[in-house]
Amino acid sequence: ILNVEQSPQSLHVQEGDSTNFTCSFPSSNFYALHWYRWETAKSPEALFVMTLNGDEKKKGRISATLNTKEGYSYLYIKGSQPEDSATYLCASNSGNTPLVFGKGTRLSVIA
Amino acid sequence: NAGVMQNPRHLVRRRGQEARLRCSPMKGHSHVYWYRQLPEEGLKFMVYLQKENIIDESGMPKERFSAEFPKEGPSILRIQQVVRGDSAAYFCASSRGQGNTYEQYFGPGTRLTVT
């Protein structure tokens, strides 16, 4: 059974700090890696879908990298703002199986 | 451009009753996914449907749970004879293409409480 792990479980940073967190997944038969941002009382919002080893994607101050050979992805937030406070989920699958979600990293940005 | 709609947002059922959860995908999306989030757990895949077809139901409990996505109307997740363990948040998501290389757009969820 595919297991997706995220670390840390939670994170508190000061406004303006840059931060990053990790998603680990099995590298065999890798198919796709998704990152979502989930604010309290809202729906998960898609950030990135990544499929290629070495892929890097960016959206504003948020970027992500992918290493399919070693089975990890990093999500980076540059210059964190209070509105970045949310739970960041990653999900992966192998072959064309359903997405398996990690439990998320809960980010709190303190003004 | 309306997002994914789910209703009801909150549903309370007594043990043994039926629960019907509805999901209307984004306009132009014909692929629907249902996920369940149990307390203190992550999102777990339940079923993937395309119009009138169940593509993958590997995450669905074998009994009491069923899903459909008719040609017209919303997708329905149906839970018969609910038990306390069914209390959870149920999310649906839609995508414009098949497979997991497309972004999934999530609805706000239905929180089911079984008393």
Side-chain angles (χ1 to χ4, degrees):
Chain A
I1 297 176
L2 188 69
N3 195 30
V4 176
E5 300 282 347
Q6 290 189 249
S7 62
Q9 190 174 358
S10 64
L11 192 56
H12 297 261
V13 301
Q14 293 289 328
E15 182 177 358
D17 286 352
S18 294
T19 187
N20 66 85
F21 20 93
T22 308
C23 174
S24 301
F25 53 88
S27 55
S28 60
N29 291 324
F30 170 82
Y31 195 78
L33 189 287
H34 293 224
W35 280 102
Y36 291 86
R37 180 171 174 271
W38 195 356
E39 287 183 74
T40 304
K42 294 189 178 179
S43 313
E45 173 196 349
L47 289 173
F48 307 113
V49 178
M50 308 170 81
T51 57
L52 299 174
N53 185 45
D55 214 359
E56 290 189 34
K57 295 210 171 181
K58 188 175 180 183
K59 188 182 285 190
R61 292 179 292 99
I62 304 177
S63 60
T65 60
L66 178 65
N67 183 326
T68 63
K69 294 189 176 183
E70 295 181 42
Y72 64 84
S73 174
Y74 292 136
L75 189 80
Y76 300 91
I77 303 178
K78 187 177 178 182
S80 303
Q81 300 296 309
E83 58 264 31
D84 296 329
S85 298
T87 296
Y88 291 82
L89 296 175
C90 80
S92 184
N93 68 327
S94 57
N96 198 20
T97 56
L99 283 177
V100 174
F101 281 81
K103 291 189 177 180
T105 292
R106 188 175 301 177
L107 175 67
S108 298
V109 182
I110 303 159
Chain B
N1 182 20
V4 177
M5 312 277 284
Q6 287 188 251
N7 68 80
R9 296 289 304 273
H10 300 274
L11 183 61
V12 179
R13 285 286 178 265
R14 286 197 295 272
R15 277 182 299 169
Q17 291 186 316
E18 179 179 288
R20 280 185 178 239
L21 288 61
R22 293 174 185 77
C23 170
S24 296
M26 282 184 71
K27 190 176 179 181
H29 287 191
S30 59
H31 301 262
V32 166
Y33 310 80
W34 284 94
Y35 295 91
R36 177 165 65 173
Q37 185 187 31
L38 294 167
E40 306 303 320
E41 295 285 327
L43 289 169
K44 304 285 187 197
F45 168 80
M46 297 182 76
V47 62
Y48 164 34
L49 309 103
Q50 217 177 334
K51 283 285 188 182
E52 301 184 272
N53 290 304
I54 295 174
I55 308 299
D56 185 338
E57 56 181 347
S58 57
M60 287 276 270
K62 296 287 181 245
E63 296 176 349
R64 303 187 297 108
F65 285 71
S66 62
E68 63 177 12
F69 189 15
K71 190 176 179 182
E72 301 291 336
S75 175
I76 307 283
L77 179 68
R78 183 181 176 209
I79 311 172
Q80 295 178 288
Q81 297 175 317
V82 296
V83 300
R84 288 226 172 96
D86 297 332
S87 295
Y90 293 82
F91 291 89
C92 100
S94 71
S95 67
R96 63 180 176 86
Q98 185 175 4
N100 289 305
T101 56
Y102 288 89
E103 292 176 340
Q104 294 185 14
Y105 293 81
F106 281 79
T110 294
R111 274 151 184 83
L112 172 66
T113 302
V114 180
T115 62

